[in-house]
Amino acid sequence: MGQALLKVEHLGISFKGLRALDDVNFEIPTSGIIGLIGPNGAGKTTLFNLLTGVYTPTDGAVILDGEVISGKGMGYTVLHGISRTFQNIRLFRDMTVLDNVKVAMHHKMHYNLLESLIKTRRYWAEEEQADREALELLEVFGLREKADMPASGLSYGQQRKLEIARALAASPKLLLLDEPAAGMNNTETRDLMETIAFIRQKFGIAILLIEHDMPLVMGVCERIVVLDYGRVIANGTPDEVRADPRVIGAYLGG
Amino acid sequence: MDKAKMLQISHRRNLLALAAVFAVLYVLMLTRSISVQYQGVIILIGINVLLATSLNLTTGALGELVLGHAGFMSIGAYTAALFTLHMDLPGLVEFPLALLLGGALAAVFGVIIGIPALRLRGDYLAIVTLGFGEIIRVIIQNMSITGGGRGLYGIEEYTTFPWVFWTSAFGITIMYALIFTRHGRAILSLRENEIAAEAAGIPATRYKVLAFAVSSFFAGVAGGLYAHYITVLDPGTFGFNMSIEILVMVVLGGMGSFTGATLAAVVLTLLPELLRSMSDYRMLLYSIALVLMMILRPQGLLGKKEFSLTRAWEQLRKKAETKGGNA
Amino acid sequence: MDFAQQLINGIQLGSIYALIAIGYTMVYGIAKMINFAHGDIIMVGSYIALMIFQNTGLPVWGVIAASALASALLGMAIERLAYKPLRGGSRMSALITTIGVSILLQNVFLLLFGSSPKPFPAAFEGEGFTLAGVPVSRLTLVTLLVTLLLMVLLTLFVGRTKLGKAMRAVSEDQGAAQLMGINIDTSISLTFAIGSALAAVAAVLYSSTYPLINPYMGSMLGLKAFIAAVIGGIGIIPGAMLGGFIIGIAEALIKGYISSALVDAIVFSLLIVVLIIKPSGLLGKNEREKV
């Protein structure tokens, strides 16, 4: 494992006096796979929203590659290397599968409005480059054949994959996956586990994963952070976490 | 297969088709095979096509319902008309300048309206655009330079068929081309899912304002064309009903489809002329069409698809080939 | 005219806006749509009242009740025929449909009655009383009292009765309400019926004040009432009442002290300012979409 890519320091947020997260600390190493688990309402999605700039923290900071990125908005975080998927799939349903991916490459292209209207050489070069990259990504997820279909025509499992492909298209250093296995059957989940491991290997990026599917989390993650009532109650290897009495307590409601 | 080359071929074909349509219509007009009355209708069609496609950019592509498109049009109309009324330049110089100026001022207002679009959810924004249209109308009615409620007279009749045809064609080409760029994809993605678009790195503010600016610019240009065709401006013309008439074209053609909006604009301008006796029922029929359309086929006649001659041609050829192969 | 007189005019107009705004706000609360055709229900209510006045000897209260009943039925029918098929669809389709229904109603009445304004009989003539030297007409008094009475009744209905509570439950959470065995269709129908009936009452009061009615009278009136609902906080019944009085009084004061030609433009500007500063309205809570 390399050095820390992302540091979460004393992170906390309150909504109308309600403490949703309190003094959360953990690190994600470069190209590590970390699981984030916890009972419903523990604050997992809130943490994601803080990491991706949807919310501004009340206290503490999120530091990516030595730079504070919390509180700077969604656009800033994605441009600086954190991409995400959503718990409830959010695709551009009436756009083609290819265009879904290309939207996330927006900031990698540089031709301006005028160039796009008179179709300069740079326009064509960048568009072709984007097409190539996007198709390669779709290939990884077995979606290349579907490139020209509207995203709404994909099966549920394919839609989840397309969301991941789109998130990767922004070339993140850290990929956040919000319940990627939700609604998948066993085969699809196993398939997803392999894909996640493959993504890390191929793109060399770190992954933070919210998941309820314990076999998936235990099987693929190197470390697991456990949240309960907005606090980190455990942080360790799958075996350590599994044996932690506080974790068992939280899940059994003790 | 090189995608870029294919697109270039398709562009060239479209340009050829446009030139052919223009040539045929122009010859028919010059030889008086099309009556003067219908020449006027064709000019109105050109103006309406530009209005409908420009509204399609905000309402169809960006997905924000705009109920005050006539307001942008009126800004362009009055600006352009006042410019040619007060300038003493040759027509060939002052008319394009007037159109540009009208479009530019309309675009400024488009940006002003685009800014609340950043904070407001769809239906609220629709009401803001409606309010804006009404505010503009009231202000024009109460200004002296615009002739107030009496209107503006004596505008030069600069708008000829070639002007309308090529201005509209230019505007549609620009808006259509925009959609197939990263800027266009950004606008579409905001319609599809704003949160996902922002999470994918799309600056929502910039692209909403861009869509509003371009859309209102061409509405303003269309206004300028209208002013120099009709030669008399009355602020009452640019009311809510006109905004709705333009909206009907976009809705019927298929929200998000520029070719659909174009087609609907042609049909809906031509139909009332053909059915003069039905003119009392026009708005009644429009309203029924709107409701039925939403219930039966909310995506419009063409949906979000674009009609393409090249594609239609390819499909026909493929069909012919498979038939030939089977025989 | 002095300030007190303007204020009284404003309260009278505000009562009417408040009655109409309630319809917008209730429908928005329960069906999450801006019912553009609501303003035209006022126009329909006025024409129905006019016809009853002309063809029967019914006393004014009977006319109001009959017009309210007919309008309620019309409101329910519109919901069933035009809006219900679109439930769950896009908000833009719903809004375009309500605009379509609005234009449809205007044009049907245009064909039936022509575009020239029709005189409306003076329903509440007579002296009122004098308040601190300012004469208050009987019509003003009736308008205010009827509005207050209906508001109290509506508040009691929504707060205390089973049907009213069901309506509230549906607007809070349609899925949960359905699980609790509440009939969504009935609740939505009832909402349209109440909103339309209130609009018809407002129609008679309004037409008695400005006694010329035409097929387009409802659009601007409806828009201003809608603005009132937004300013008060859309979806919130007391907000609609508050907003109605604010718009009514503001309008009277603008007419009295600034310019009557600019009233509509200023009211719309007010709406834009409120929407930009506090989109949820005066009594509303700020909410943002869940991620």
Side-chain angles (χ1 to χ4, degrees):
Chain A
M1 255 191 235
Q3 71 206 90
L5 169 73
L6 183 96
K7 284 184 191 165
V8 173
E9 289 181 349
H10 308 295
L11 199 64
I13 186 168
S14 306
F15 297 107
K16 289 178 191 145
L18 198 82
R19 199 80 183 143
L21 284 176
D22 189 37
D23 196 28
V24 173
N25 294 283
F26 67 93
E27 289 186 355
I28 301 178
T30 307
S31 74
I33 301 187
I34 307 290
L36 180 63
I37 66 171
N40 277 325
K44 301 186 296 288
T45 296
T46 306
L47 180 57
F48 259 39
N49 285 336
L50 280 168
L51 295 183
T52 51
V54 178
Y55 298 146
T56 300
T58 322
D59 326 270
V62 179
I63 298 158
L64 182 75
D65 264 346
E67 189 199 355
V68 176
I69 56 156
S70 44
K72 294 196 176 162
M74 258 195 272
Y76 191 88
T77 15
V78 63
L79 296 191
H80 286 76
I82 300 185
S83 286
R84 74 176 291 178
T85 66
F86 295 90
Q87 194 175 337
N88 44 345
I89 302 176
R90 287 175 178 272
L91 287 175
F92 309 128
R93 294 179 59 82
D94 282 338
M95 296 170 78
T96 63
V97 169
L98 182 69
D99 277 349
N100 265 269
V101 177
K102 280 173 83 182
V103 166
M105 297 179 172
H106 180 269
H107 65 276
K108 294 197 230 162
M109 294 186 236
H110 304 283
Y111 64 80
N112 62 34
L113 205 56
L114 193 67
E115 286 177 87
S116 71
L117 296 178
I118 55 173
K119 311 276 189 237
T120 58
R121 199 173 299 249
R122 178 154 80 152
Y123 165 84
W124 289 115
E126 287 186 352
E127 281 289 318
E128 277 165 27
Q129 170 71 19
D131 277 342
R132 246 192 327 268
E133 261 182 62
L135 286 172
E136 269 170 37
L137 264 174
L138 290 175
E139 180 87 64
V140 171
F141 292 93
L143 292 170
R144 196 187 169 118
E145 302 302 306
K146 315 267 181 191
D148 292 325
M149 258 173 75
S152 56
L154 296 180
S155 74
Y156 183 81
Q158 288 170 332
Q159 291 194 12
R160 286 239 172 254
K161 285 183 176 174
L162 177 55
E163 256 211 325
I164 299 176
R166 182 179 68 192
L168 287 170
S171 304
K173 297 173 198 158
L174 170 65
L175 175 64
L176 308 184
L177 301 174
D178 198 347
E179 296 197 29
M184 284 189 175
N185 62 32
N186 282 340
T187 336
E188 285 173 322
T189 307
R190 216 169 304 132
D191 187 36
L192 180 77
M193 271 171 77
E194 282 166 25
T195 313
I196 291 173
F198 177 73
I199 291 169
R200 192 260 297 266
Q201 191 208 332
K202 180 167 168 68
F203 300 95
I205 60 174
I207 295 171
L208 178 67
L209 172 79
I210 294 182
E211 193 46 72
H212 284 299
D213 187 293
M214 281 307 142
L216 173 76
V217 178
M218 297 292 169
V220 78
C221 297
E222 286 140 7
R223 290 186 78 82
I224 292 172
V225 176
V226 189
L227 277 183
D228 191 26
Y229 291 110
R231 288 170 165 275
V232 177
I233 58 165
N235 180 353
T237 65
D239 285 332
E240 287 165 10
V241 164
R242 219 189 317 243
D244 194 314
R246 274 172 305 178
V247 178
I248 298 166
Y251 270 90
L252 295 178
Chain B
M1 190 168 26
D2 193 350
K3 208 171 166 185
K5 200 153 274 166
M6 258 179 55
L7 265 170
Q8 264 165 346
I9 293 172
S10 150
H11 285 331
R12 210 167 301 149
R13 274 192 204 162
N14 288 343
L15 197 64
L16 276 175
L18 264 180
V21 170
F22 174 77
V24 168
L25 284 174
Y26 202 42
V27 167
L28 288 177
M29 283 182 179
L30 290 177
T31 58
R32 300 276 156 166
S33 305
I34 294 178
S35 70
V36 177
Q37 185 208 334
Y38 272 94
Q39 294 186 17
V41 175
I42 289 172
I43 286 179
L44 277 181
I45 287 178
I47 293 169
N48 282 339
V49 163
L50 191 53
L51 285 170
T53 45
S54 58
L55 179 62
N56 184 50
L57 189 60
T58 36
T59 296
L62 181 65
E64 298 285 6
L65 184 55
V66 173
L67 298 175
H69 209 54
F72 297 121
M73 182 190 177
S74 70
I75 292 171
Y78 274 92
T79 309
L82 286 170
F83 184 78
T84 58
L85 276 175
H86 292 277
M87 285 289 144
D88 215 10
L89 297 167
L92 216 58
V93 178
E94 71 173 1
F95 187 41
L97 279 179
L99 291 182
L100 276 177
L101 200 65
L105 197 65
V108 169
F109 279 88
V111 170
I112 295 172
I113 290 302
I115 290 169
L118 314 172
R119 294 201 46 173
L120 296 178
R121 234 192 7 239
D123 29 15
Y124 282 94
L125 181 69
I127 302 297
V128 167
T129 60
L130 188 161
F132 156 77
E134 292 298 307
I135 293 171
I136 289 295
R137 191 174 51 81
V138 172
I139 289 176
I140 291 176
Q141 258 162 355
N142 287 285
M143 284 201 329
S144 56
I145 188 172
T146 57
R150 284 175 297 112
L152 206 56
Y153 297 88
I155 305 161
E156 288 283 348
E157 198 178 342
Y158 283 138
T159 305
T160 56
F161 171 67
W163 269 112
V164 167
F165 188 90
W166 291 112
T167 310
S168 294
F170 174 73
I172 298 166
T173 308
I174 284 192
M175 289 184 279
Y176 187 73
L178 177 67
I179 291 302
F180 297 99
T181 66
R182 66 186 187 114
H183 316 288
R185 281 193 298 271
I187 290 172
L188 293 175
S189 72
L190 287 170
R191 167 189 78 194
E192 297 286 310
N193 195 313
E194 192 170 333
I195 288 174
E198 281 191 73
I202 300 299
T205 311
R206 193 188 310 164
Y207 284 107
K208 282 188 181 177
V209 170
L210 175 72
F212 268 92
V214 174
S215 164
S216 47
F217 175 83
F218 285 111
V221 171
L225 289 170
Y226 179 81
H228 293 86
Y229 163 67
I230 215 92
T231 69
V232 176
L233 288 180
D234 162 21
T237 317
F238 305 101
F240 181 56
N241 264 354
M242 182 172 240
S243 294
I244 292 298
E245 281 183 51
I246 308 168
L247 180 68
V248 171
M249 294 171 189
V250 175
V251 170
L252 290 192
M255 278 186 277
S257 167
F258 285 90
T259 34
T262 306
L263 221 61
V266 174
V267 172
L268 289 182
T269 318
L270 214 53
L271 264 189
E273 291 300 325
L274 297 175
L275 308 168
R276 285 235 155 208
S277 55
M278 302 278 282
S279 67
D280 285 349
Y281 300 94
R282 187 161 61 123
M283 284 314 278
L284 185 74
L285 294 176
Y286 275 15
S287 60
I288 294 172
L290 264 187
V291 175
L292 286 182
M293 203 71 188
M294 286 298 114
I295 295 174
L296 302 174
R297 197 177 157 78
Q299 68 273 42
L301 289 179
L302 281 191
K304 287 177 176 113
K305 290 195 192 76
E306 297 292 353
F307 178 78
S308 142
L309 273 179
T310 312
R311 202 187 322 134
W313 175 247
E314 290 293 323
Q315 271 167 3
L316 272 177
R317 216 175 51 184
K318 256 183 216 162
K319 246 181 211 165
E321 269 170 18
T322 46
K323 251 189 198 159
N326 289 342
Chain C
M1 272 199 275
D2 64 349
F3 182 76
Q5 186 62 55
Q6 301 289 9
L7 198 63
I8 286 167
N9 291 348
I11 289 171
Q12 183 182 348
L13 189 59
S15 314
I16 292 166
Y17 285 151
L19 282 178
I20 307 166
I22 289 170
Y24 279 106
T25 236
M26 285 175 69
V27 165
Y28 191 91
I30 203 159
K32 302 285 174 279
M33 64 190 252
I34 298 171
N35 179 16
F36 230 87
H38 188 60
D40 302 284
I41 299 282
I42 309 162
M43 176 272 295
V44 175
S46 291
Y47 274 100
I48 294 176
L50 178 65
M51 283 191 301
I52 301 174
F53 265 127
Q54 283 173 344
N55 298 317
T56 67
L58 230 56
V60 62
W61 298 110
V63 173
I64 291 180
S67 172
L69 185 69
S71 301
L73 290 175
L74 176 70
M76 282 161 68
I78 290 173
E79 194 276 326
R80 271 295 143 93
L81 294 174
Y83 303 162
K84 197 179 163 204
L86 287 164
R87 230 183 267 165
S90 85
R91 297 169 88 106
M92 200 197 279
S93 306
L95 189 53
I96 291 173
T97 307
T98 69
I99 293 171
V101 171
S102 160
I103 301 170
L104 181 67
L105 288 176
Q106 285 171 16
N107 281 276
V108 167
F109 278 75
L110 188 67
L111 289 173
L112 289 176
F113 295 94
S115 60
S116 59
K118 297 255 180 293
F120 196 85
F124 301 98
E125 273 196 312
E127 287 293 307
F129 61 97
T130 312
L131 182 76
V134 184
V136 179
S137 72
R138 184 154 163 258
L139 179 60
T140 306
L141 197 64
V142 168
T143 303
L144 187 61
L145 288 179
V146 167
T147 302
L148 292 178
L149 176 72
L150 288 174
M151 282 175 181
V152 171
L153 286 178
L154 181 70
T155 310
L156 288 176
F157 173 77
V158 171
R160 302 281 169 84
T161 65
K162 209 174 159 186
L163 277 173
K165 283 178 185 163
M167 275 167 55
R168 258 172 45 208
V170 175
S171 57
E172 286 283 324
D173 186 337
Q174 222 170 81
Q178 199 157 23
L179 288 178
M180 304 295 289
I182 292 171
N183 189 333
I184 308 270
D185 289 345
T186 314
S187 297
I188 293 183
S189 278
L190 190 62
T191 306
F192 274 86
I194 293 175
S196 305
L198 291 178
V201 177
V204 177
L205 296 172
Y206 181 82
S207 303
S208 305
T209 319
Y210 304 93
L212 280 176
I213 65 176
N214 70 67
Y216 300 115
M217 65 181 279
S219 50
M220 193 43 78
L221 191 56
L223 277 173
K224 285 193 199 148
F226 171 74
I227 293 173
V230 172
I231 286 176
I234 195 140
I236 308 163
I237 294 175
M241 303 174 185
L242 176 68
F245 284 109
I246 290 176
I247 292 291
I249 292 168
E251 193 175 323
L253 295 181
I254 294 166
K255 264 187 196 151
Y257 295 100
I258 301 175
S259 149
S260 56
L262 292 179
V263 168
D264 296 351
I266 295 176
V267 172
F268 272 111
S269 312
L270 195 65
L271 169 77
I272 294 175
V273 170
V274 169
L275 282 180
I276 290 170
I277 295 171
K278 197 168 187 305
S280 54
L282 293 176
L283 302 185
K285 295 184 295 260
N286 275 321
E287 272 175 34
R288 62 178 295 174
E289 194 178 353
K290 260 196 171 162
V291 179

